[in-house]
Amino acid sequence: NAGVTQTPKFQVLKTGQSMTLQCAQDMNHNSMYWYRQDPGMGLRLIYYSASEGTTDKGEVPNGYNVSRLNKREFSLRLESAAPSQTSVYFCASTSGQGNSPLHFGNGTRLTVT
Amino acid sequence: AQSVAQPEDQVNVAEGNPLTVKCTYSVSGNPYLFWYVQYPNRGLQFLLKYITGDNLVKGSYGFEAEFNKSQTSFHLKKPSALVSDSALYFCAVRGLGGGYQKVTFGIGTKLQVIP
């Protein structure tokens, strides 16, 4: 039982390049989330998907797009990477019930030069 | 809008001493409150949660948290700290009602347990 799996673990991009961060969960969870973690700023929500077929913006959605491909997978795309997007990105999932905790992947460390 | 404040960037405590990591929150209505721990180069791991009922919540690894509605606080505690407890701790709130799907995190508190 892998939980939440993120790929890749590390990535270096040049400004203007694009890439997709992949996330998959095997816990049959309804809700999935993308966060970024920056020093001194904690975790900030980029996008979330309450259920398959729906996505909503979080606090910092600019420069990102998401796709909820199916119940298992939720991808995050950077169309034109900028140095300000250098961060650690975490995917998380939960059953969707209000009292259920989030389950996190181990993160993708992205550097944009 | 919901928010979480963790007023201390870092907490230092001697091994064997009790520890407290502070958290206050702001949310409409009754909240769901959570504590998570993050070890280096890993994702966050769930420690404990408050839903309703007893104000003292017990969780993993001997941690507990005290909910205080009047002070809108949810402080994390442990009676006797271990060196292995050294990590980054996050408090989080999940509001009920229309915004319940959004989970808001504090900025984190680094706990350093000194041998």
Side-chain angles (χ1 to χ4, degrees):
Chain A
N1 196 347
V4 179
T5 302
Q6 290 183 238
T7 56
K9 288 185 171 58
F10 301 94
Q11 184 72 48
V12 179
L13 293 177
K14 294 187 189 309
T15 297
Q17 287 184 319
S18 63
M19 78 162 295
T20 299
L21 282 66
Q22 306 286 356
C23 175
Q25 52 90 9
D26 61 3
M27 295 171 283
N28 201 35
H29 283 166
N30 291 315
S31 303
M32 298 185 73
Y33 301 75
W34 278 105
Y35 286 89
R36 59 178 289 173
Q37 183 178 23
D38 302 290
M41 304 194 75
L43 273 75
R44 292 181 292 168
L45 181 63
I46 305 171
Y47 271 94
Y48 67 102
S49 171
S51 60
E52 186 178 357
T54 69
T55 61
D56 286 286
K57 295 179 181 179
E59 303 169 64
V60 288
N62 292 343
Y64 305 95
N65 285 302
V66 291
S67 295
R68 183 74 182 267
L69 305 170
N70 48 55
K71 191 171 186 179
R72 290 186 63 247
E73 298 172 286
F74 188 38
S75 63
L76 179 72
R77 183 159 178 84
L78 286 69
E79 291 291 351
S80 179
S84 61
Q85 294 178 306
T86 293
S87 187
V88 182
Y89 292 86
F90 287 100
C91 177
S93 70
T94 182
S95 66
Q97 295 177 8
N99 62 359
S100 56
L102 293 172
H103 296 257
F104 283 83
N106 284 329
T108 295
R109 187 173 296 273
L110 175 66
T111 301
V112 183
T113 61
Chain B
Q2 56 193 41
S3 64
V4 175
Q6 293 182 242
E8 301 153 317
D9 289 339
Q10 182 161 334
V11 170
N12 296 321
V13 63
E15 186 177 23
N17 282 3
L19 70 87
T20 299
V21 182
K22 296 180 180 176
C23 170
T24 59
Y25 66 90
S26 173
V27 68
S28 298
N30 295 318
Y32 293 142
L33 294 159
F34 304 84
W35 274 101
Y36 292 84
V37 60
Q38 184 181 34
Y39 297 101
N41 301 314
R42 300 297 300 273
L44 279 68
Q45 297 175 34
F46 168 70
L47 270 182
L48 52 78
K49 64 183 178 184
Y50 172 81
I51 307 302
T52 186
D54 289 341
N55 290 339
L56 187 63
V57 178
K58 294 190 184 296
S60 306
Y61 313 120
F63 284 93
E64 55 192 29
E66 187 170 11
F67 172 69
N68 187 315
K69 187 172 183 178
S70 63
Q71 296 185 5
T72 61
S73 67
F74 189 54
H75 300 331
L76 182 70
K77 299 174 184 283
K78 188 174 183 183
S80 178
L82 300 173
V83 172
S84 56
D85 293 331
S86 298
L88 191 56
Y89 290 81
F90 290 94
C91 182
V93 65
R94 191 172 188 179
L96 302 183
Y100 82 100
Q101 290 291 350
K102 288 189 180 180
V103 181
T104 302
F105 286 83
I107 64 171
T109 298
K110 183 178 180 180
L111 174 65
Q112 189 75 37
V113 180
I114 303 159

